[in-house]
Amino acid sequence: MEFWLRLRLFLQLHFKAIFAKKTPILPSVVAHKSANQTLNPSQIQLNTKELLSLQRRRVLLDWHDNFESQLNSVAVDGFWSFVGQTRNQTQQLGLARKVFAQPAAEALGPAFRNQVMYPLSEKVREANARLREITSTWSDQLNLQPSLRTIEVDSKLTILRNVGFRSRHQEAIIEKLELLIFAKGGILDAQIAQSLTVLEDLLKNLDGLR
């Protein structure tokens, strides 16, 4: 009986020793050890610069998204306001104007500038002021002077050359001016392309600070 008791105790001890060797380190122990490790100061500085750069990129992207959205809205509102006035003008033409038509570019130029181009240029001016305000808070980038400007595209309305301001030309005139504003290479497209150039230049400057 004593022999079997000793054998059982021996096997129990031997089994415990084998099990202990195969038991993995608990995750909580590893986590505790990692938490006690100190970060290198250079790592902290790098993370701070990366975070600052990302924050600034987000601000710039938000600025451009807002500008593009507002510019589109102003262009649409201005265009339809202009269309309404153009239709009213053609319906009120006197007999002399119907016979001896005024050039459409001359007749519509002032209204187009007031109802379409002026609101767009005001929106560009506001966006440029906002961009200057944003970058002026970046004390490490005082040399930045972003400039958003109004892009002139066919300001003399040459797209209407040889078109008389007559009621029968009304829809053709509206269609041509719609293309001038909204088509690729038109007023809206050129203005947004210019703002993207400004945005890309600023983002490149931010990349250089990393």
Side-chain angles (χ1 to χ4, degrees), residues 29-67:
V29 176
V30 175
H32 180 70
K33 184 178 180 181
S34 299
N36 290 333
Q37 291 179 346
T38 57
L39 291 174
N40 189 307
S42 62
Q43 289 178 312
I44 297 174
Q45 183 179 7
L46 177 63
N47 292 339
T48 302
K49 289 181 68 176
E50 287 285 347
L51 180 60
L52 182 60
S53 177
L54 289 173
Q55 289 173 336
R56 290 175 174 178
R57 290 177 71 88
R58 182 68 267 168
V59 170
L60 288 175
L61 292 172
D62 286 345
W63 164 83
H64 188 268
D65 286 347
N66 291 335
F67 170 64

Side-chain angles (χ1 to χ4, degrees), residues 132-143:
R132 291 289 183 91
E133 180 184 349
I134 290 170
T135 56
S136 68
T137 63
W138 300 350
S139 58
D140 55 349
Q141 293 187 325
L142 292 176
N143 60 321

Side-chain angles (χ1 to χ4, degrees), residues 5-138:
L5 179 62
R6 289 180 180 178
L7 179 61
R8 188 178 68 177
L9 291 174
F10 171 78
L11 291 175
Q12 285 178 343
L13 291 173
H14 187 63
F15 177 80
K16 288 181 179 179
I18 294 173
F19 181 79
K21 290 180 180 179
K22 294 185 177 181
T23 302
I25 299 175
L26 294 177
S28 60
V29 176
V30 175
H32 180 70
K33 184 178 180 181
S34 299
N36 290 333
Q37 291 179 346
T38 57
L39 291 174
N40 189 307
S42 62
Q43 289 178 312
I44 297 174
Q45 183 179 7
L46 177 63
N47 292 339
T48 302
K49 289 181 68 176
E50 287 285 347
L51 180 60
L52 182 60
S53 177
L54 289 173
Q55 289 173 336
R56 290 175 174 178
R57 290 177 71 88
R58 182 68 267 168
V59 170
L60 288 175
L61 292 172
D62 286 345
W63 164 83
H64 188 268
D65 286 347
N66 291 335
F67 170 64
E68 187 170 340
S69 175
Q70 292 174 13
L71 201 69
N72 275 284
S73 179
V74 167
V76 171
D77 290 346
F79 172 72
W80 286 114
S81 175
F82 174 77
V83 166
Q85 181 170 326
T86 300
R87 286 177 173 156
N88 287 335
Q89 280 185 256
T90 55
Q91 290 170 3
Q92 295 172 12
L93 288 174
L95 180 61
R97 284 299 185 189
K98 290 180 180 179
V99 177
F100 303 101
Q102 184 181 13
E106 181 182 322
L108 297 173
F112 188 79
R113 286 190 290 273
N114 290 335
Q115 292 178 273
V116 178
M117 292 309 301
Y118 179 74
L120 286 175
S121 64
E122 279 296 289
K123 193 56 61 179
V124 172
R125 184 188 62 78
E126 290 172 10
N128 188 58
R130 174 57 183 152
L131 186 59
R132 291 289 183 91
E133 180 184 349
I134 290 170
T135 56
S136 68
T137 63
W138 300 350

